[in-house]
Amino acid sequence: GEYTLLKKRASAFHGTELTGILNSHNIDTILVTGVTACACVRQTICDGLAEGFRTIAVKEAIGDRVPGAVSWNLFDIDAKFADVEETNTCLRYLGNI
């Protein structure tokens, strides 16, 4: 019964209905997980920010094929685009909603 989003680009936002779905549910913050850090995750974070969402990268829930890519991308994302938070912090946040 969960909604499945079909995406054809790196970002979950580009060319999809994700912004409309989130806006229709009055969602203002997104927690981003996934692979790959240097492509899909990063593009989704950047596009989420551009669409007006507060973006949070869930540190331990992001991966990549390339050694070191996760650390470097999370450092850069934290400096420019989104908050990078540990999983436990995100779970506490969700528990308080």
Side-chain angles (χ1 to χ4, degrees), residues 32-73:
V32 181
T33 66
V35 291
T36 60
C38 61
C40 296
V41 172
R42 185 180 187 94
Q43 286 304 120
T44 297
I45 287 170
C46 291
D47 286 353
L49 179 66
E51 292 292 334
F53 297 99
R54 175 177 180 223
T55 55
I56 300 171
V58 185
K59 185 176 181 178
E60 297 87 358
I62 295 173
D64 202 291
R65 309 180 282 270
V66 179
V70 174
S71 296
W72 185 90
N73 276 284

mmCIF file of all heavy atoms in Angstrom, residues 32-73:
data_model
loop_
_atom_site.group_PDB
_atom_site.id
_atom_site.type_symbol
_atom_site.label_atom_id
_atom_site.label_comp_id
_atom_site.label_asym_id
_atom_site.label_seq_id
_atom_site.Cartn_x
_atom_site.Cartn_y
_atom_site.Cartn_z
ATOM 1 N N VAL A 32 16.656 12.681 3.752
ATOM 2 C CA VAL A 32 17.107 11.995 2.545
ATOM 3 C C VAL A 32 18.077 10.878 2.911
ATOM 4 O O VAL A 32 19.027 11.080 3.678
ATOM 5 C CB VAL A 32 17.775 12.982 1.567
ATOM 6 C CG1 VAL A 32 18.219 12.273 0.302
ATOM 7 C CG2 VAL A 32 16.809 14.124 1.224
ATOM 8 N N THR A 33 17.821 9.697 2.341
ATOM 9 C CA THR A 33 18.690 8.529 2.483
ATOM 10 C C THR A 33 18.914 7.960 1.093
ATOM 11 O O THR A 33 18.238 8.350 0.144
ATOM 12 C CB THR A 33 18.030 7.451 3.366
ATOM 13 O OG1 THR A 33 16.876 6.946 2.701
ATOM 14 C CG2 THR A 33 17.632 8.009 4.725
ATOM 15 N N GLY A 34 19.831 7.025 0.957
ATOM 16 C CA GLY A 34 19.970 6.319 -0.309
ATOM 17 C C GLY A 34 21.388 6.243 -0.817
ATOM 18 O O GLY A 34 22.341 6.554 -0.131
ATOM 19 N N VAL A 35 21.499 5.783 -2.047
ATOM 20 C CA VAL A 35 22.755 5.688 -2.769
ATOM 21 C C VAL A 35 22.490 6.198 -4.174
ATOM 22 O O VAL A 35 21.384 6.063 -4.678
ATOM 23 C CB VAL A 35 23.281 4.230 -2.818
ATOM 24 C CG1 VAL A 35 23.725 3.764 -1.464
ATOM 25 C CG2 VAL A 35 22.265 3.266 -3.382
ATOM 26 N N THR A 36 23.345 6.798 -4.808
ATOM 27 C CA THR A 36 24.725 7.094 -4.484
ATOM 28 C C THR A 36 24.865 8.543 -4.007
ATOM 29 O O THR A 36 24.190 9.428 -4.500
ATOM 30 C CB THR A 36 25.633 6.896 -5.698
ATOM 31 O OG1 THR A 36 25.210 7.763 -6.738
ATOM 32 C CG2 THR A 36 25.622 5.500 -6.234
ATOM 33 N N ALA A 37 25.808 8.712 -3.068
ATOM 34 C CA ALA A 37 25.996 10.026 -2.442
ATOM 35 C C ALA A 37 26.350 11.100 -3.460
ATOM 36 O O ALA A 37 25.901 12.234 -3.360
ATOM 37 C CB ALA A 37 27.079 9.941 -1.366
ATOM 38 N N CYS A 38 27.168 10.752 -4.439
ATOM 39 C CA CYS A 38 27.643 11.765 -5.393
ATOM 40 C C CYS A 38 26.671 12.010 -6.547
ATOM 41 O O CYS A 38 26.913 12.882 -7.374
ATOM 42 C CB CYS A 38 29.021 11.395 -5.922
ATOM 43 S SG CYS A 38 29.062 9.843 -6.811
ATOM 44 N N ALA A 39 25.553 11.304 -6.579
ATOM 45 C CA ALA A 39 24.596 11.507 -7.669
ATOM 46 C C ALA A 39 23.176 11.637 -7.113
ATOM 47 O O ALA A 39 22.720 12.738 -6.842
ATOM 48 C CB ALA A 39 24.694 10.372 -8.682
ATOM 49 N N CYS A 40 22.482 10.529 -6.939
ATOM 50 C CA CYS A 40 21.065 10.562 -6.566
ATOM 51 C C CYS A 40 20.805 11.307 -5.259
ATOM 52 O O CYS A 40 19.908 12.146 -5.182
ATOM 53 C CB CYS A 40 20.512 9.149 -6.466
ATOM 54 S SG CYS A 40 20.540 8.262 -8.038
ATOM 55 N N VAL A 41 21.575 10.998 -4.232
ATOM 56 C CA VAL A 41 21.366 11.643 -2.935
ATOM 57 C C VAL A 41 21.634 13.136 -3.036
ATOM 58 O O VAL A 41 20.828 13.965 -2.618
ATOM 59 C CB VAL A 41 22.249 10.993 -1.845
ATOM 60 C CG1 VAL A 41 22.192 11.781 -0.552
ATOM 61 C CG2 VAL A 41 21.832 9.549 -1.619
ATOM 62 N N ARG A 42 22.769 13.484 -3.594
ATOM 63 C CA ARG A 42 23.148 14.901 -3.693
ATOM 64 C C ARG A 42 22.147 15.697 -4.537
ATOM 65 O O ARG A 42 21.726 16.786 -4.165
ATOM 66 C CB ARG A 42 24.553 15.016 -4.275
ATOM 67 C CG ARG A 42 25.085 16.425 -4.307
ATOM 68 C CD ARG A 42 26.499 16.442 -4.906
ATOM 69 N NE ARG A 42 27.041 17.755 -4.782
ATOM 70 C CZ ARG A 42 27.805 18.175 -3.782
ATOM 71 N NH1 ARG A 42 28.120 17.354 -2.806
ATOM 72 N NH2 ARG A 42 28.257 19.409 -3.741
ATOM 73 N N GLN A 43 21.736 15.161 -5.676
ATOM 74 C CA GLN A 43 20.792 15.863 -6.544
ATOM 75 C C GLN A 43 19.429 16.009 -5.886
ATOM 76 O O GLN A 43 18.777 17.046 -6.009
ATOM 77 C CB GLN A 43 20.661 15.148 -7.884
ATOM 78 C CG GLN A 43 21.854 15.336 -8.781
ATOM 79 C CD GLN A 43 22.162 16.800 -9.036
ATOM 80 O OE1 GLN A 43 23.231 17.286 -8.721
ATOM 81 N NE2 GLN A 43 21.211 17.525 -9.585
ATOM 82 N N THR A 44 18.982 14.977 -5.180
ATOM 83 C CA THR A 44 17.706 15.060 -4.474
ATOM 84 C C THR A 44 17.759 16.126 -3.393
ATOM 85 O O THR A 44 16.816 16.911 -3.228
ATOM 86 C CB THR A 44 17.323 13.689 -3.887
ATOM 87 O OG1 THR A 44 17.136 12.759 -4.965
ATOM 88 C CG2 THR A 44 16.053 13.766 -3.047
ATOM 89 N N ILE A 45 18.866 16.195 -2.667
ATOM 90 C CA ILE A 45 19.024 17.219 -1.629
ATOM 91 C C ILE A 45 19.012 18.613 -2.248
ATOM 92 O O ILE A 45 18.303 19.505 -1.776
ATOM 93 C CB ILE A 45 20.297 16.961 -0.817
ATOM 94 C CG1 ILE A 45 20.092 15.759 0.105
ATOM 95 C CG2 ILE A 45 20.708 18.194 -0.021
ATOM 96 C CD1 ILE A 45 21.335 15.254 0.792
ATOM 97 N N CYS A 46 19.776 18.808 -3.292
ATOM 98 C CA CYS A 46 19.833 20.125 -3.942
ATOM 99 C C CYS A 46 18.482 20.526 -4.511
ATOM 100 O O CYS A 46 18.045 21.672 -4.342
ATOM 101 C CB CYS A 46 20.901 20.133 -5.038
ATOM 102 S SG CYS A 46 22.579 20.037 -4.407
ATOM 103 N N ASP A 47 17.789 19.601 -5.163
ATOM 104 C CA ASP A 47 16.478 19.908 -5.730
ATOM 105 C C ASP A 47 15.434 20.114 -4.640
ATOM 106 O O ASP A 47 14.550 20.957 -4.779
ATOM 107 C CB ASP A 47 16.036 18.824 -6.704
ATOM 108 C CG ASP A 47 16.782 18.882 -8.021
ATOM 109 O OD1 ASP A 47 17.561 19.838 -8.236
ATOM 110 O OD2 ASP A 47 16.594 17.962 -8.842
ATOM 111 N N GLY A 48 15.528 19.363 -3.556
ATOM 112 C CA GLY A 48 14.612 19.557 -2.438
ATOM 113 C C GLY A 48 14.752 20.950 -1.853
ATOM 114 O O GLY A 48 13.754 21.629 -1.573
ATOM 115 N N LEU A 49 15.977 21.390 -1.699
ATOM 116 C CA LEU A 49 16.238 22.750 -1.223
ATOM 117 C C LEU A 49 15.674 23.773 -2.203
ATOM 118 O O LEU A 49 15.007 24.728 -1.806
ATOM 119 C CB LEU A 49 17.737 22.964 -1.033
ATOM 120 C CG LEU A 49 18.170 24.348 -0.573
ATOM 121 C CD1 LEU A 49 17.660 24.633 0.827
ATOM 122 C CD2 LEU A 49 19.685 24.449 -0.624
ATOM 123 N N ALA A 50 15.901 23.562 -3.495
ATOM 124 C CA ALA A 50 15.406 24.480 -4.520
ATOM 125 C C ALA A 50 13.880 24.535 -4.539
ATOM 126 O O ALA A 50 13.300 25.570 -4.873
ATOM 127 C CB ALA A 50 15.929 24.071 -5.896
ATOM 128 N N GLU A 51 13.226 23.452 -4.156
ATOM 129 C CA GLU A 51 11.757 23.409 -4.109
ATOM 130 C C GLU A 51 11.212 23.989 -2.810
ATOM 131 O O GLU A 51 10.004 24.038 -2.608
ATOM 132 C CB GLU A 51 11.259 21.970 -4.292
ATOM 133 C CG GLU A 51 11.502 21.405 -5.672
ATOM 134 C CD GLU A 51 10.671 22.086 -6.750
ATOM 135 O OE1 GLU A 51 9.588 22.616 -6.441
ATOM 136 O OE2 GLU A 51 11.108 22.088 -7.914
ATOM 137 N N GLY A 52 12.101 24.407 -1.907
ATOM 138 C CA GLY A 52 11.661 25.078 -0.687
ATOM 139 C C GLY A 52 11.567 24.208 0.550
ATOM 140 O O GLY A 52 11.054 24.648 1.577
ATOM 141 N N PHE A 53 12.066 22.994 0.491
ATOM 142 C CA PHE A 53 12.016 22.106 1.644
ATOM 143 C C PHE A 53 13.269 22.250 2.505
ATOM 144 O O PHE A 53 14.360 22.498 1.976
ATOM 145 C CB PHE A 53 11.889 20.640 1.200
ATOM 146 C CG PHE A 53 10.626 20.359 0.453
ATOM 147 C CD1 PHE A 53 10.622 20.299 -0.926
ATOM 148 C CD2 PHE A 53 9.430 20.176 1.133
ATOM 149 C CE1 PHE A 53 9.454 20.055 -1.628
ATOM 150 C CE2 PHE A 53 8.249 19.933 0.438
ATOM 151 C CZ PHE A 53 8.265 19.874 -0.946
ATOM 152 N N ARG A 54 13.097 22.106 3.810
ATOM 153 C CA ARG A 54 14.268 21.953 4.674
ATOM 154 C C ARG A 54 14.767 20.544 4.422
ATOM 155 O O ARG A 54 14.003 19.571 4.509
ATOM 156 C CB ARG A 54 13.888 22.110 6.148
ATOM 157 C CG ARG A 54 15.090 21.826 7.033
ATOM 158 C CD ARG A 54 14.796 22.027 8.501
ATOM 159 N NE ARG A 54 16.017 21.731 9.243
ATOM 160 C CZ ARG A 54 16.051 21.040 10.360
ATOM 161 N NH1 ARG A 54 14.921 20.619 10.911
ATOM 162 N NH2 ARG A 54 17.193 20.801 10.951
ATOM 163 N N THR A 55 16.034 20.418 4.085
ATOM 164 C CA THR A 55 16.577 19.103 3.734
ATOM 165 C C THR A 55 17.547 18.628 4.798
ATOM 166 O O THR A 55 18.383 19.389 5.285
ATOM 167 C CB THR A 55 17.276 19.135 2.358
ATOM 168 O OG1 THR A 55 18.274 20.153 2.375
ATOM 169 C CG2 THR A 55 16.290 19.421 1.253
ATOM 170 N N ILE A 56 17.420 17.365 5.152
ATOM 171 C CA ILE A 56 18.301 16.737 6.132
ATOM 172 C C ILE A 56 18.851 15.454 5.521
ATOM 173 O O ILE A 56 18.083 14.604 5.059
ATOM 174 C CB ILE A 56 17.551 16.417 7.435
ATOM 175 C CG1 ILE A 56 16.991 17.703 8.060
ATOM 176 C CG2 ILE A 56 18.459 15.675 8.415
ATOM 177 C CD1 ILE A 56 16.056 17.468 9.229
ATOM 178 N N ALA A 57 20.158 15.315 5.512
ATOM 179 C CA ALA A 57 20.810 14.089 5.053
ATOM 180 C C ALA A 57 21.029 13.191 6.271
ATOM 181 O O ALA A 57 21.613 13.621 7.271
ATOM 182 C CB ALA A 57 22.145 14.415 4.396
ATOM 183 N N VAL A 58 20.547 11.966 6.206
ATOM 184 C CA VAL A 58 20.688 11.021 7.308
ATOM 185 C C VAL A 58 22.029 10.309 7.151
ATOM 186 O O VAL A 58 22.196 9.442 6.290
ATOM 187 C CB VAL A 58 19.513 10.023 7.348
ATOM 188 C CG1 VAL A 58 19.627 9.128 8.577
ATOM 189 C CG2 VAL A 58 18.179 10.763 7.338
ATOM 190 N N LYS A 59 22.977 10.704 7.975
ATOM 191 C CA LYS A 59 24.387 10.358 7.820
ATOM 192 C C LYS A 59 24.660 8.866 7.589
ATOM 193 O O LYS A 59 25.341 8.492 6.640
ATOM 194 C CB LYS A 59 25.159 10.842 9.053
ATOM 195 C CG LYS A 59 26.631 10.657 8.980
ATOM 196 C CD LYS A 59 27.294 11.252 10.207
ATOM 197 C CE LYS A 59 28.786 11.108 10.154
ATOM 198 N NZ LYS A 59 29.411 11.728 11.341
ATOM 199 N N GLU A 60 24.155 8.017 8.447
ATOM 200 C CA GLU A 60 24.472 6.584 8.347
ATOM 201 C C GLU A 60 23.631 5.851 7.305
ATOM 202 O O GLU A 60 23.826 4.661 7.079
ATOM 203 C CB GLU A 60 24.281 5.885 9.708
ATOM 204 C CG GLU A 60 25.204 6.379 10.787
ATOM 205 C CD GLU A 60 24.644 7.590 11.539
ATOM 206 O OE1 GLU A 60 23.546 8.082 11.191
ATOM 207 O OE2 GLU A 60 25.307 8.042 12.459
ATOM 208 N N ALA A 61 22.702 6.541 6.674
ATOM 209 C CA ALA A 61 21.797 5.899 5.719
ATOM 210 C C ALA A 61 22.082 6.345 4.289
ATOM 211 O O ALA A 61 21.208 6.314 3.431
ATOM 212 C CB ALA A 61 20.354 6.193 6.111
ATOM 213 N N ILE A 62 23.322 6.769 4.039
ATOM 214 C CA ILE A 62 23.743 7.199 2.709
ATOM 215 C C ILE A 62 24.990 6.420 2.332
ATOM 216 O O ILE A 62 25.919 6.310 3.123
ATOM 217 C CB ILE A 62 23.998 8.722 2.681
ATOM 218 C CG1 ILE A 62 22.676 9.460 2.927
ATOM 219 C CG2 ILE A 62 24.645 9.143 1.363
ATOM 220 C CD1 ILE A 62 22.810 10.951 3.100
ATOM 221 N N GLY A 63 25.004 5.890 1.131
ATOM 222 C CA GLY A 63 26.143 5.097 0.689
ATOM 223 C C GLY A 63 26.611 5.512 -0.694
ATOM 224 O O GLY A 63 26.044 6.386 -1.339
ATOM 225 N N ASP A 64 27.670 4.848 -1.150
ATOM 226 C CA ASP A 64 28.211 5.081 -2.484
ATOM 227 C C ASP A 64 29.139 3.924 -2.847
ATOM 228 O O ASP A 64 29.667 3.244 -1.957
ATOM 229 C CB ASP A 64 28.983 6.398 -2.536
ATOM 230 C CG ASP A 64 29.104 6.939 -3.950
ATOM 231 O OD1 ASP A 64 29.825 6.332 -4.770
ATOM 232 O OD2 ASP A 64 28.477 7.972 -4.235
ATOM 233 N N ARG A 65 29.360 3.734 -4.125
ATOM 234 C CA ARG A 65 30.288 2.692 -4.599
ATOM 235 C C ARG A 65 31.745 3.084 -4.413
ATOM 236 O O ARG A 65 32.627 2.241 -4.366
ATOM 237 C CB ARG A 65 30.089 2.423 -6.088
ATOM 238 C CG ARG A 65 28.725 2.152 -6.546
ATOM 239 C CD ARG A 65 28.726 1.907 -8.057
ATOM 240 N NE ARG A 65 28.811 3.136 -8.817
ATOM 241 C CZ ARG A 65 27.771 3.846 -9.217
ATOM 242 N NH1 ARG A 65 26.565 3.447 -8.915
ATOM 243 N NH2 ARG A 65 27.924 4.925 -9.926
ATOM 244 N N VAL A 66 31.997 4.380 -4.381
ATOM 245 C CA VAL A 66 33.359 4.896 -4.385
ATOM 246 C C VAL A 66 33.821 5.186 -2.959
ATOM 247 O O VAL A 66 33.169 5.961 -2.246
ATOM 248 C CB VAL A 66 33.438 6.186 -5.240
ATOM 249 C CG1 VAL A 66 34.839 6.744 -5.246
ATOM 250 C CG2 VAL A 66 32.941 5.919 -6.642
ATOM 251 N N PRO A 67 34.938 4.586 -2.534
ATOM 252 C CA PRO A 67 35.449 4.865 -1.198
ATOM 253 C C PRO A 67 35.706 6.369 -1.008
ATOM 254 O O PRO A 67 36.253 7.034 -1.871
ATOM 255 C CB PRO A 67 36.768 4.086 -1.141
ATOM 256 C CG PRO A 67 36.631 3.027 -2.177
ATOM 257 C CD PRO A 67 35.769 3.626 -3.259
ATOM 258 N N GLY A 68 35.270 6.884 0.115
ATOM 259 C CA GLY A 68 35.492 8.294 0.422
ATOM 260 C C GLY A 68 34.437 9.235 -0.120
ATOM 261 O O GLY A 68 34.354 10.383 0.303
ATOM 262 N N ALA A 69 33.619 8.771 -1.068
ATOM 263 C CA ALA A 69 32.621 9.648 -1.681
ATOM 264 C C ALA A 69 31.561 10.092 -0.685
ATOM 265 O O ALA A 69 31.116 11.245 -0.725
ATOM 266 C CB ALA A 69 31.962 8.956 -2.869
ATOM 267 N N VAL A 70 31.166 9.212 0.213
ATOM 268 C CA VAL A 70 30.136 9.573 1.187
ATOM 269 C C VAL A 70 30.645 10.668 2.107
ATOM 270 O O VAL A 70 29.992 11.698 2.287
ATOM 271 C CB VAL A 70 29.669 8.340 1.993
ATOM 272 C CG1 VAL A 70 28.705 8.760 3.098
ATOM 273 C CG2 VAL A 70 29.020 7.320 1.076
ATOM 274 N N SER A 71 31.819 10.475 2.674
ATOM 275 C CA SER A 71 32.374 11.468 3.609
ATOM 276 C C SER A 71 32.538 12.825 2.948
ATOM 277 O O SER A 71 32.156 13.854 3.509
ATOM 278 C CB SER A 71 33.725 11.002 4.147
ATOM 279 O OG SER A 71 33.564 9.832 4.888
ATOM 280 N N TRP A 72 33.116 12.842 1.755
ATOM 281 C CA TRP A 72 33.337 14.119 1.079
ATOM 282 C C TRP A 72 32.018 14.796 0.746
ATOM 283 O O TRP A 72 31.840 15.990 0.971
ATOM 284 C CB TRP A 72 34.162 13.941 -0.196
ATOM 285 C CG TRP A 72 34.470 15.271 -0.799
ATOM 286 C CD1 TRP A 72 35.555 16.045 -0.540
ATOM 287 C CD2 TRP A 72 33.653 16.016 -1.713
ATOM 288 N NE1 TRP A 72 35.458 17.227 -1.242
ATOM 289 C CE2 TRP A 72 34.305 17.242 -1.963
ATOM 290 C CE3 TRP A 72 32.442 15.775 -2.333
ATOM 291 C CZ2 TRP A 72 33.777 18.202 -2.820
ATOM 292 C CZ3 TRP A 72 31.911 16.740 -3.176
ATOM 293 C CH2 TRP A 72 32.595 17.944 -3.413
ATOM 294 N N ASN A 73 31.061 14.047 0.187
ATOM 295 C CA ASN A 73 29.778 14.640 -0.189
ATOM 296 C C ASN A 73 29.003 15.121 1.027
ATOM 297 O O ASN A 73 28.395 16.189 0.985
ATOM 298 C CB ASN A 73 28.950 13.655 -1.014
ATOM 299 C CG ASN A 73 29.327 13.700 -2.463
ATOM 300 O OD1 ASN A 73 28.951 14.613 -3.179
ATOM 301 N ND2 ASN A 73 30.117 12.727 -2.902
#
